[in-house]
Structures are given as C-alpha cells and as structure tokens.
Amino acid sequence: MMSESRRTVALFQGCTSPGDVNHSLRVMKEQIKRAAAAGASLLVFPELFLHEYLSYLSKTARLGPEVKKAAEKRDGTCFQELSKAARENRIAVCYGYAEMDDTSGKLVYYNSAQFIDANGVSLSNYRKAHLWEAEESAIFQPGDKLCVFDWDGLTVGLAICYDIDFPEFIRSLVLKGARLIVVPTALEAVFQMTPRVVVPTRAIENGVHVLYANYAATCAATSSAAATSDTAAGSNYTSSGYLGMSCSADPLGKDIMSAGTEEALLLATVELLQPRKGHATAHAPEYYVRLSHRRPELYQECTLPRPK
C-alpha cells in the first residue's frame, strides 16, 4: 500500500575557501562527479557552501559588503553551473548559498538552500526560517514559508541548520507530507549533541529519514583551503571551527551513515518510502497511528507569537 524507492544518497562533508566562490564551485563539481559515479541519486552540500559560512561570522565589520559582493539570485551564474553539472551527471543536488532578491524593489538577502533535480531543474529554493542569533539576523532576512516538494515521487522537506532545533517546524514539514528531511548545516564544534541526539530524535518522532550535511572540522592546509594560525607546525591540516559529524538517521533513529571530523563523501542506499494516506511504513508502523493520536487543541501555545 505504498510506493517503495531504494535510493543511494550522498552527503559531502568538506571545506571550501572563504570568499572564493570559484573554488567552491570546483569542489562542488568534483564531488558531484564522484557521487554520481558511485551511483548516488542525490548529493547534499553544507549550509552556505558556495560562500563559506564562517567567513561572514568572523568578520563582523565586513558582513554587509561581503554578502553584497558574493550573493546571487536563485537563477544566477552559480546556479546555472551547478544545474549543468547535475544534468550532465544525472544526479540531484542540494546546496546552501547566500541569495540576493530584488523582487520587492529593494535588495534583500537570505540564507538559502536550493534543490536541483537530475534534469538540472530547480525543484525548490528554501530560505532559512530560524536565523542564528544576531550574526545571521544582521545579514539575512528570515524566510517565511515551509518548503515541501516532490522529487521523483518522494515528498521532500528542506530545513537549514538551526531549523532542526524546532520540533514543531520539522513536524509541520511532515504534516505536509515530507518523508525525507534534507538539512544543510554549518554546525560549530561545541554543538555535538545536535547530530548525536537532535537529528535521530527528529527522525524517530516523525518517522522520516533525515540527511544532515556539515562542514569538515579539519581541512587540508593547501593554498586554496582556509589555512589559519590554528594550523599546527608541520601539519597538513587546519581546524575549521566546525564540528564535522555529518550524518543520516532513519525513521527508527538508526545511524545510516556518519562522518568523523575530516573531509568525506558519505554514501548510503536507503529505503525511502512514500506511504499512501492512512497506511503505515515498514520502518515506522506506528507513524500514522501517532499522527492520528495527536491532540493539536492542547498544543496551541506552540503556534502563538513568540514573547517580546
């Protein structure tokens, strides 16, 4: 009573060079080819990977000028190149970037993630709803829409980093039909509990797969990588400030694939099930029972405006 789809999905945990979009594109195209050659149907990159997240947060005085220089429209040059790479390699790609939008008559910037299918078509462009503290709020506007869409017969929901800390946000994606939650992130080293506890918890409580792609914690200290004063003498690696620990959890919270701290291309073949309404899945037979047992009239505070 359900459509079943076994798909190989991939997460890239890596590094890029702050302020060097061309380097980011080279890395992304290389990983797209690698993932496609390994049989993956989807490759997920970290949050703001085109523009390297910490390069914004570490240079507060330059945030505005950096964003204005690097950000692009959702159908901009970088999108066109990544669309071509996805099409040529027959693989879907989800990536984070700084989005510029002027449809309102003024320039606005968003922390966004775009999902491109294997035909090179953008299926969705999500704007991060929950911005992290003053650093992100000083740069970006928060998104105001949930992002749920069809990808080859499977309903997908997008979230970015901090969004996953809000149970009601992920549950809302699931109530709109999402069976796979894709999360580009830029998680710093102090937040180890997020991949260890939060990611599998969101998978269990909603009966879904969660893909969570972070930056590597250690990066090759090459001329194009972000070599810093943290590089140990004689070492080939440098600390990025990120946690690493990219992962994927299935509907039972089982760790399907996970990374350590170094650069990695993770691949796993998973059974992604799109159940028909009213029927359970093989992995989470209690899933629809849980939804039918919900008492939303008791949870109304969850949707009230936040205290000022």
Side-chain angles (χ1 to χ4, degrees), residues 155-167:
T155 307
V156 177
L158 291 185
I160 297 175
C161 198
Y162 191 35
D163 287 331
I164 203 169
D165 284 1
F166 297 85

Side-chain angles (χ1 to χ4, degrees), residues 168 298-305:
E168 60 271 37
L298 301 179
Y299 321 144
Q300 293 181 15
E301 280 86 359
C302 291
T303 59
L304 293 177

Side-chain angles (χ1 to χ4, degrees), residues 1-7 9 150-156 174 177-181 206-209 250-252 269-277 279-285 287-288:
M1 302 298 294
M2 63 189 72
S3 62
E4 180 175 324
S5 178
R6 293 180 61 82
R7 307 186 193 196
V9 293
D150 177 81
W151 169 50
D152 289 343
L154 181 73
T155 307
V156 177
V174 174
R179 300 297 299 141
L180 172 66
I181 307 297
N206 292 294
V208 295
H209 279 83
D250 76 1
L252 295 179
T269 299
V270 297
E271 189 176 33
L272 298 170
L273 303 170
Q274 183 69 53
R276 297 177 184 175
K277 187 175 182 179
H279 297 281
T281 73
H283 287 300
Y287 171 67
Y288 280 96

